[in-house]
C-alpha cells in the first residue's frame, strides 16, 4: 500500500526499509552556490542529482537556477551544464540527446531543468513537442509558483488568490494553478510524477526510477521560495510538507499517461495550516480560505478517482 | 556527378556530404523540399543523422544549440516567419559560438500573407552574429553549404546560407554533386575543443557581468573579422579541389564600368542579362553580386567598385525608416574609402514580385539622372 | 574579483565555467548560526536514578546491548532487578505517550539486564584507583546497594550491614518472586560482591553490632528503609488470622511457612497491599478482597499492578474502610466494611484522613485479614542525638546528618517511595560521601532543559504499537510463583528501541544533513557528534534546526545587534 510505504519513507531510521531509503552519499553539487538561504530549488537539484549521478548533462533554462548555478567562471554543479534560453529546456535537451545518441552514448542522462515559468508558460510548447516525440530526456520542473528570479511575478503555476508583485492583494491571482501533470499525462509519456523537497526519499526514488526509464520523463518538484512566498527561511520544508499533507500538492505518479498511483496518503491537514505560514496568503479572508479548501478537496477527489 | 535536380535537393545532398549528425526542421514554405529530401536520406540510412521533427523553428534552433554544444555537426532549414521566430536563439547560437549551418529559403514576412522571395527575413538577422551567404544558383547552393561548415567550424560562428524562395529553392538545374571522398578531404570531421562531456564537466554560457561580457563580445567581433579571411581561403581551397569558386563578392564586367548594379541572390542573373544588353549598346555598365553579406566584405566591395562613379543597388529588402539594407551596408562600406561613387538605392521585388530586365533598365536610367542619393527609389510601384 | 582571474588572452571563447563555487564562500551571508545542542530527554529527567534512557535505547537499537547495559550501570547497578520492579516514571515522562504509547523502557532495561547476566558481564570500577577510606552502609535495600556500588566503583572499601540473612532489603523481603525471581536478585547482588563490596548479613546494628563500632568507618550511610509496620488501629487486630502486610511478605519471602484461608481480605491501596493480595492468591486463597480507603483512581498503587490484581481475580472494594474485625474463638471470622469519604494522605507519614459514611456496613466473611496500611522507620538503634525526634532522619541537601560523617538516604529520609528513588538516593549519597572524603564539593552535572512534547517535529515519527511482553496465563500464575512477565525478545527490544524519539539528543537521523540547501553539513557517520557544520558556506537558513525532529539543534544570532 502506497500509504504504508510512504509513511515508512518518513521514518529514516526504519531498518526494514534501509535499502530503499539509503540516500546516496555522493553529492553532485557544490556549496557556495548563489541560492537564497533556505532555497527549495537548491534542495531539489541536490536530491535529483543524488539519484542521477555524474553521468548526467544538465540543460538549464533561464530560471533562478541560472544564477544559483554560479557566475562565470564558477559552476555549482559537478556535471556538465548547458545554460539556455527561457523556453528551450526541452528542445535543447532533445538536441543534446540526439547528439549523444549519434555519438553512441545512450547512457548519459539528459536532464532538462526549468522553473515553473519555463515549464508551465514559456517553455510549454517545447516541452509538449519533446513529450510528444517522446524524447529520451528527463525533464524536471522545480515549481516555486511564480517568476521569482525577476522579482516574484505570477506564472500559470501561481496558486489561486496568491499575492505576487503582478497580482497585488487588491487583485490577487484569479485563476487556479495549471495542472501541468495532467498536461504531461495527456502526452502519454512513460513517466510523470510529482515530488516535494519535503519528501526527499520519495523524490530521490522517483528520480532514480525516472533514470531507469527510456523516453520522456517528467518530474514536477514542489520547491518553496523564501522571498517569493514571504516566509522565514527555516520554514521551507515545513511548508512543503504541509502542502502535501493538506492535499494542496499531492504526491503521485502517472505511468504511460494512464496509470495513476498515489505515492503518499496525506494526513489531511486543513489548507489553513498551510496557508497561514506564508505571507503571500496573508490577505486571505475566511471565506476565501474556504474556497481554496473546496477546490483542493475537489481536486483531491478527482485524483483519487484517477488513482483507482 | 552531375544531376538535374532541384536546388533544394542539392542542399540536402550537401548536408549529406557534410555528414551532418543532427538535423531539425519545422515545415515552412519554401524550404520544405530541403527537409523532405533530408527526411528521406535519414529514413533510408543514406545519411546517418538524427532528424528531430520539432514543433517550431525556435525549438529547432534550440535543439541544434544543444546538439552542437554536445559536439555534433548540425543543420536546419527555414524561411521567413520561421527565421523570425528563431531570432532569440540565433543570438544564443552565435553567442555560444556554435558552428551551426542553416539554409534560409528567403521569403517575405506577413502580413499580408505572402510566400514570395524577399531578403528582409534574413537581412534583418544581420546583427545576430551569424555569417550570411546569398546564393545565385543550385550549384552555388550545394557548394556554399559545404564551404559554410568549413568556415563555421573554423571561426566557431554559425552560418546562414540564403536561397531565394522559389526562384532558387524550386528551380531545377544540372548540378554537379561533389564526390564524397573529396568533400571528406575538404571538410574534416567536427571535433570541438570544448563540448558537453561528462568526463570533463564544465558549465557553458553561465552568467557574466559587465566586467567580462564585453570581452566575450569582442571575441565574437574578432571571429567575424577573421571569418572574411577564412571564407576567402575556404573558397580558394574549394576551387582547388572542385574546380569551382565564387569569391566573397562576384564582380561582372566591372573592370571599366562607370555604372554598377549591385544585387544579391538570383536577381544577379537578371542583372547580368541587362548588363550584357547595355554593354551591347556601348554603355560601361557592370554588376557586383554580394555573396557574403556577413561579415560584410568591405575590402572586396571597395576594390570591385574602385572605378565606378555611380552605383545602383537593387534591394529585395527594406529597412523601414531608412532604406534598402544592402544599400545601407554598401554606403557604410564605401564611406570610409577613398573612392566614393554616387549610390542609388532601389527597393524592388518585395513579396516575390518579379524584377524584370525592364525594372533594372529603369534603375540604371534613373541612377544616371535622378537626384539625391539619400532618396529611397522604389521600382515598379503602382499606386 | 573576477577580473583578476584572467591574465590577458586566457579568457575562454565563451563563459565556460571550469572552477567551482567552492571558491565563493557564502557563509558571510549568514546572520543566524545553527549549532548542535543536546537537551535533556524527559525520560532521563523523570528517572530518579538519572538513567540515560535515550542513550541505552539508541545503543539497543543498534544491537549494542552490552554497551547499553554499561550505560545503565553507570547509574543503577541492578538493571535486571529494576527492569522488573521499577514503576518506571521514565515511561510516564516519555514524550511518546502523547503521540501513541510510551516506550516500554522497563522491558528494554530488563532485557539488557538479563542479557548481561546471561553473558556474565561484570561491573567495572571507574578509573581513579583504590582509596583508603572505609565506608559502612547500613541496610542492603536499593539505596544501600546503590550507594555501596557507586562507592566501590570509585575505589572505596565498602561494608554493607544487613539485619536479615540475605542482602536485598525490600527487594528480597518485600517484593514477591512472581515479580522478581530470586536468582536475578542474587546474581545482581553477587556482582556487587565481585566488585568488592563486603556484605555482613544477619547483623542488626544496635543489637548484633554496637553503634559505636561503626565509628571506625570514615563514613556511614544509613539506608535502613521503613522496616516497621504501622499498627492497625481497629478492633480485632489481635485475632489469629490477622497479619501485617510487611511481616506477611517478609515471612513468605524468607521461606517461612505462611498460610492463608480460602477467603482473604487485604486492607490497603498501595503497592504492598497488592503484592500481599497477589501473593495470597498464589498461596491458595480463592477469594481475595482488596479494601482501600481511596476511591478507584486515587489508589496509590501503580495502575499496572491494580490491573494485574484484577485479572488474577482480586476484588477491589474501594472507598471503603474497615470498622472492625469480627472474631470467633480468637480467629478472624469476618470484616465489617463501610463506605468512607476519603480526605487525603500525608505523603511522608502515610497518615490518612477519612470519615465513615452514615449507614450500616457490610459484613465480609474471611479467614485471613492482612493489613498493608504503611510502614515507618525503625530508628531505635541510633543514638537520640542523631536520630532527632521525627519520623524520618533529618539530613541536609547532601544527605548528610548535620556535622557528622553520617549520611542517609532512601525511604528513611523521604518516607515511602519507590525503589528507583532509593537507587537515585544511593547514587547521590555516594557522590556526597565521595565529596566529603575528598574535601571537594562534587555535584552531578547540571542537565540542559528538558524537551517538551510540543518541541518535537512530529512529522518524522510514525505511529507504532508499543511492544508488550507476554504475561503468564492466570491459571499458571496462580499455580505458584512463576514470574508473570516474560520480557521482550531481542527483536522486540530492538523494535521498541526504534520507537524512541530521542528527544533532545541527536541520534543520527540525517535530517540536518539531508535538508541543507547549501551542502554545508557533512557527516562522518549517522550518529550523534558525527555531523559538522561548515560555516564557510552555511547561510544560516535554519532549516536544519527546524527539521531536527528532536530539538537537538539550536539557532543563535550570529551578531548581537546593538540597539
Amino acid at each position: 500500500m502506497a500509504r504504508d510505504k510512504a509513511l515508512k519513507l518518513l521514518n529514516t531510521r526504519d531498518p526494514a526499509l534501509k535499502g530503499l531509503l539509503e540516500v546516496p552519499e555522493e553529492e553532485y553539487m557544490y556549496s557556495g552556490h548563489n541560492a537564497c538561504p533556505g532555497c527549495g530549488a537548491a534542495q531539489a537539484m541536490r536530491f535529483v542529482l543524488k539519484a542521477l549521478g555524474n553521468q548526467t548533462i544538465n540543460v538549464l533554462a533561464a530560471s533562478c537556477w541560472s544564477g544559483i548555478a554560479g557566475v562565470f567562471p564558477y559552476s555549482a554543479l559537478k556535471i556538465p551544464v548547458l545554460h539556455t534560453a527561457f523556453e528551450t529546456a526541452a528542445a535543447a535537451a532533445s538536441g543534446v540527446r540526439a547528439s549523444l545518441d549519434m555519438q553512441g552514448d545512450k547512457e548519459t542522462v539528459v536532464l532538462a531543468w526549468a522553473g515553473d515559468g519555463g515549464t508551465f508558460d514559456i517553455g510549454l510548447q517545447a516541452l509538449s513537442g519533446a513529450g510528444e516525440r517522446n524524447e529520451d530526456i528527463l525533464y524536471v520542473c522545480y515549481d516555486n509558483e511564480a517568476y521569482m528570479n525577476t522579482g516574484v511575478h505570477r506564472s500559470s503555476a501561481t496558486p489561486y488568490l496568491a499575492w505576487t508583485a503582478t497580482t497585488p492583494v487588491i487583485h490577487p491571482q484569479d485563476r487556479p494553478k495549471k495542472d501541468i501533470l495532467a498536461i504531461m499525462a495527456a502526452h502519454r509519456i512513460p513517466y510523470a510524477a510529482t515530488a516535494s523537497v519535503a519528501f526527499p526519499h520519495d523524490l530521490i526514488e522517483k528520480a532514480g526510477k525516472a533514470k531507469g526509464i527510456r523516453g520522456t520523463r517528467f518530474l514536477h518538484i514542489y520547491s518553496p521560495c523564501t522571498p517569493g512566498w514571504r516566509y522565514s527561511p527555516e520554514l521551507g520544508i515545513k511548508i512543503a510538507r504541509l502542502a502535501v499533507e493538506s492535499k494542496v500538492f499531492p504526491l503521485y505518479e502517472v505511468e504511460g499517461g494512464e496509470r495513476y498511483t498515489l505515492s503518499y496518503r496525506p494526513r489531511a491537514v486543513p489548507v489553513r495550516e498551510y496557508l497561514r505560514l506564508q505571507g503571500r496568503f496573508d490577505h486571505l479572508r475566511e471565506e476565501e480560505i474556504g474556497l481554496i479548501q473546496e477546490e483542493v478537496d475537489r481536486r483531491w477527489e478527482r485524483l483519487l478517482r484517477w488513482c483507482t | 556527378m552531375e544531376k538535374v535536380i532541384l536546388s533544394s535537393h542539392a542542399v540536402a545532398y550537401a548536408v549529406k556530404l557534410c555528414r551532418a549528425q543532427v538535423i531539425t526542421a519545422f515545415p515552412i514554405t519554401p524550404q520544405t523540399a530541403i527537409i523532405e529530401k533530408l527526411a528521406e536520406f535519414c529514413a533510408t540510412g543514406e545519411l546517418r543523422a538524427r532528424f528531430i521533427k520539432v514543433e517550431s523553428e525556435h525549438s529547432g534552433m534550440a535543439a541544434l544549440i544543444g546538439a552542437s554544444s554536445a559536439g555534433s555537426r548540425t543543420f536546419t532549414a527555414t524561411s521567413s516567419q520561421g527565421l523570425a521566430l528563431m531570432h532569440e536563439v540565433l543570438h544564443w547560437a552565435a553567442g555560444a559560438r556554435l558552428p551551426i549551418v542553416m539554409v534560409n529559403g528567403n521569403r517575405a514576412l506577413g502580413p499580408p500573407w505572402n510566400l514570395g522571395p524577399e531578403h528582409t527575413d534574413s537581412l534583418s538577422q544581420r546583427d545576430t552574429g551569424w555569417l550570411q551567404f546569398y546564393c545565385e544558383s543550385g550549384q552555388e547552393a550545394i557548394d556554399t553549404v559545404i564551404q559554410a561548415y568549413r568556415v563555421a567550424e573554423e571561426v566557431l560562428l554559425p552560418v546562414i546560407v540564403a536561397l531565394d524562395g522559389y526562384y532558387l529553392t524550386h528551380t531545377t538545374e544540372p548540378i554537379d554533386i561533389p564526390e564524397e571522398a573529396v568533400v571528406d578531404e575538404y571538410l574534416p570531421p567536427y571535433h570541438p575543443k570544448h563540448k558537453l562531456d561528462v568526463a570533463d564537466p564544465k558549465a557553458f554560457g553561465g552568467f557574466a557581468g559587465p566586467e567580462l561580457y564585453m570581452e566575450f563580445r569582442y571575441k565574437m567581433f574578432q571571429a567575424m573579422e577573421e571569418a572574411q579571411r577564412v571564407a576567402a581561403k575556404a573558397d580558394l581551397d574549394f576551387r582547388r579541389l572542385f574546380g569551382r569558386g565564387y569569391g566573397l563578392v562576384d564582380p561582372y564586367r566591372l573592370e571599366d564600368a562607370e555604372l554598377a548594379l549591385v544585387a544579391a541572390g538570383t536577381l544577379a542573373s537578371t542583372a547580368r542579362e541587362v548588363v550584357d544588353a547595355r554593354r551591347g549598346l556601348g554603355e560601361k555598365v557592370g554588376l557586383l553580386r554580394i555573396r557574403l553579406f556577413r561579415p560584410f566584405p568591405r575590402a572586396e566591395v571597395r576594390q570591385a567598385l574602385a572605378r565606378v562613379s555611380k552605383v545602383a543597388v537593387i534591394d529585395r529588402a527594406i529597412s523601414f525608416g531608412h532604406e534598402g539594407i544592402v544599400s545601407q551596408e554598401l554606403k557604410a562600406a564605401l564611406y570610409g574609402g577613398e573612392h566614393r561613387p554616387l549610390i542609388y538605392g532601389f527597393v524592388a521585388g518585395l513579396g516575390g514580385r518579379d524584377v524584370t530586365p525592364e525594372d533594372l533598365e529603369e534603375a540604371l536610367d534613373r541612377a544616371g539622372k535622378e537626384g539625391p542619393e539619400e532618396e529611397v527609389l522604389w521600382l515598379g510601384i503602382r499606386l | 574579483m573576477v577580473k583578476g582571474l584572467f591574465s590577458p588572452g586566457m579568457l575562454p571563447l565563451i563563459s565556460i565555467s571550469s572552477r567551482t563555487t567552492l571558491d565563493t564562500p557564502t557563509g558571510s551571508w549568514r546572520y543566524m548560526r545553527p549549532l548542535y545542542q543536546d537537551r535533556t530527554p524527559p525520560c532521563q529527567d523523570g528517572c530518579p536514578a538519572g538513567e540515560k534512557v535515550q542513550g541505552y535505547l539508541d545503543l539497543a537499537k543498534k544491537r549494542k546491548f552490552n554497551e547499553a547495559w554499561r550505560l545503565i550501570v553507570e547509574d543503577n547497578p541492578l538493571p535486571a532487578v529494576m527492569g522488573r520492579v521499577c514503576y518506571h516514571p521514565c515511561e510516564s515522562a516519555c514524550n511518546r505517550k502523547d503521540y501513541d504509547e510510551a516506550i516500554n523502557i522497563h522491558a528494554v532495561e530488563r532485557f539488557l539486564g538479563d542479557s548481561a547476566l546471561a553473558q556474565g558481564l561484570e561491573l567495572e570500577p571507574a578509573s581513579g584507583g583504590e582509596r583508603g577510606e572505609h565506608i559502612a552502609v547500613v541496610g542492603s535495600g536499593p539505596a544501600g546497594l546503590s550507594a555501596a556500588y557507586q562507592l566501590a566503583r570509585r575505589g572505596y572499601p565498602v561494608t554493607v550491614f544487613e539485619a536479615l540473612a540475605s542482602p536485598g532489603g525490600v527487594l528480597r523481603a518485600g517484593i514477591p518472586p512472581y515479580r522478581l525471581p530470586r536468582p536475578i536478585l542474587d546474581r545482581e547482588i553477587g556482582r556487587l560482591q565481585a566488585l568488592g563490596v563486603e556484605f555482613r548479613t544477619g547483623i542488626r546494628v544496635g543489637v548484633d553490632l554496637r553503634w559505636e563500632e561503626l565509628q571506625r568507618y570514615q563514613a556511614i550511610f544509613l539506608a535502613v528503609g521503613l522496616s516497621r509496620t504501622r499498627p492497625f488501629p481497629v478492633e480485632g487486630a489481635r485475632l489469629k488470622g490477622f497479619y501485617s502486610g510487611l511481616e506477611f511478605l517478609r515471612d513468605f519471602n524468607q521461606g517461612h511457612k505462611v498460610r492463608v484461608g480460602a477467603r482473604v481480605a487485604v486492607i490497603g491501596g498501595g503497592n504492598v497491599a497488592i503484592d500481599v493480595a497477589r501473593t495470597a492468591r498464589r498461596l491458595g486463597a480463592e477469594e481475595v478482597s482488596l479494601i482501600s480507603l481511596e476511591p478507584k483512581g486515587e489508589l496509590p498503587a501503580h495502575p499496572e499492578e491494580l490491573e494485574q490484581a484484577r485479572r488474577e481475580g482480586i476484588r477491589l472494594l474501594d472507598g471503603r474502610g474497615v470498622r472492625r474485625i469480627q472474631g470467633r474463638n480468637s480467629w478472624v471470622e469476618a470484616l465489617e466494611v463501610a463506605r468512607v469519604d476519603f480526605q487525603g494522605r500525608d505523603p511522608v507519614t502515610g497518615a490518612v484522613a477519612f470519615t465513615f459514611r452514615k449507614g450500616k456496613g457490610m459484613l465480609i466473611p474471611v479467614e485471613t485479614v492482612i493489613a498493608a496500611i504503611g510502614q515507618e522507620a525503625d530508628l531505635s538503634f541510633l543514638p537520640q542525638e542523631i536520630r532527632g525526634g521525627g519520623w524520618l532522619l533529618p539530613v541536609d541537601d547532601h544527605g548528610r546528618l548535620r556535622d557528622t560523617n553520617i549520611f542517609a538516604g532512601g525511604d528513611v529520609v523521604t518516607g515511602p517511595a519507590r525503589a528507583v528513588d532509593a537507587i537515585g538516593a544511593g547514587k547521590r549519597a555516594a557522590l556526597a560521601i565521595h565529596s566529603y572524603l575528598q574535601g571537594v564539593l562534587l555535584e552531578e552535572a547540571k542537565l540542559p532543559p528538558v524537551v517538551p512534547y510540543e518541541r518535537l517535529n512530529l512529522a518524522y515519527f510514525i505511529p507504532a504499537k508499543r511492544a508488550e511482553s507476554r504475561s503468564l496465563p492466570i491459571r499458571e500464575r496462580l499455580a505458584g510463583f512463576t514470574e508473570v512477565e516474560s520480557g521482550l525478545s531481542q527483536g522486540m527490544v530492538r523494535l521498541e528501541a526504534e520507537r524512541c524519539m530521542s528527544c533532545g539528543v541527536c541520534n543520527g537521523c540525517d535530517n540536518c544533513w539531508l535538508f541543507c540547501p547549501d551542502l554545508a553539513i557533512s557527516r562522518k557517520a549517522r550518529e550523534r557528534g558525527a555531523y559538522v557544520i561548515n560555516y564557510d558556506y552555511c547561510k544560516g537558513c535554519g532549516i536544519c534546526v527546524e527539521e531536527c525532529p528532536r530539538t537537538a539543534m539550536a539557532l543563535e544570532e550570529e551578531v548581537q545587534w546593538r540597539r
Side-chain angles (χ1 to χ4, degrees), chain C residues 113-153:
Chain C
D114 287 356
S115 155
L117 285 176
Q119 296 172 73
L121 295 190
E122 291 296 341
L123 296 169
E124 283 168 5
S127 58
E130 295 193 6
R131 297 178 193 273
E133 299 92 339
H134 203 149
I135 298 153
V137 172
V138 184
S140 68
L145 293 174
S146 171
Y149 160 68
Q150 296 290 358
L151 289 163
R153 69 195 284 252

Side-chain angles (χ1 to χ4, degrees), chain B residues 246-269:
Chain B
Y246 305 90
L248 305 185
V249 293
D250 181 12
Y252 181 67
R253 301 184 84 165
L254 274 176
E255 300 77 18
D256 58 345
E258 289 168 1
L259 173 60
L261 281 167
V262 174
T266 53
L267 230 166
S269 304

Side-chain angles (χ1 to χ4, degrees), chain C residues 170-190:
Chain C
V170 68
L171 299 174
R172 186 177 298 280
I175 292 170
Y178 63 84
R179 281 176 60 204
L180 175 58
R182 289 307 179 258
I184 300 288
L185 180 62
D186 293 341
R187 292 175 64 192
E188 289 210 320
I189 292 177

Side-chain angles (χ1 to χ4, degrees), chain A residues 4 7-8 10-15 18 21-40 42-43 46-47 50 68-77 83 197-201 204 232-239 241 245 267, chain C residues 1-2 5-6 11-12 14-26 29 31 58 61-62 99 457-463 494-495 498 507-521 523 526 534 537 539-543 546-547 550 555:
Chain A
D4 290 350
L7 278 173
K8 280 175 185 162
L10 280 173
N11 188 341
T12 56
R13 297 298 310 179
D14 191 332
K18 214 153 191 162
L21 292 174
E22 216 45 53
V23 171
E25 183 79 40
E26 197 64 42
E27 305 286 0
Y28 301 96
M29 201 169 133
Y30 294 107
S31 298
H33 58 69
N34 290 322
C36 303
C39 175
Q43 292 167 319
R46 183 177 170 218
F47 295 150
K50 273 180 174 290
I68 298 171
V71 165
F72 173 79
Y74 307 107
S75 174
L77 297 183
H83 287 270
V197 292
F199 293 74
H201 299 94
I204 291 169
S232 184
E234 75 277 9
L235 295 177
I237 292 297
K238 184 176 188 179
I239 288 168
R241 182 166 56 241
E245 298 289 15
R267 301 182 189 187
Chain C
M1 177 184 67
V2 177
L5 285 169
F6 298 99
L11 194 69
I14 65 164
S15 58
I16 301 174
S17 293
S18 43
R19 300 175 63 157
T20 79
T21 51
L22 289 176
D23 290 350
T24 58
T26 45
W29 303 13
Y31 58 92
D58 192 51
K61 183 165 68 184
K62 297 170 181 156
Y99 185 72
N457 191 336
L458 297 177
Y460 296 102
F461 304 105
I462 55 171
R494 248 193 42 248
L495 283 177
E498 288 265 354
N507 69 346
C509 79
D510 263 1
N511 265 10
C512 51
W513 170 80
L514 184 59
F515 285 117
C516 178
D518 291 297
L519 300 89
I521 296 180
R523 53 166 199 191
R526 290 184 68 165
N534 188 339
Y537 299 106
K539 293 171 187 156
C541 69
I543 284 181
E546 178 69 24
E547 294 311 316
R550 50 203 103 257
L555 197 62

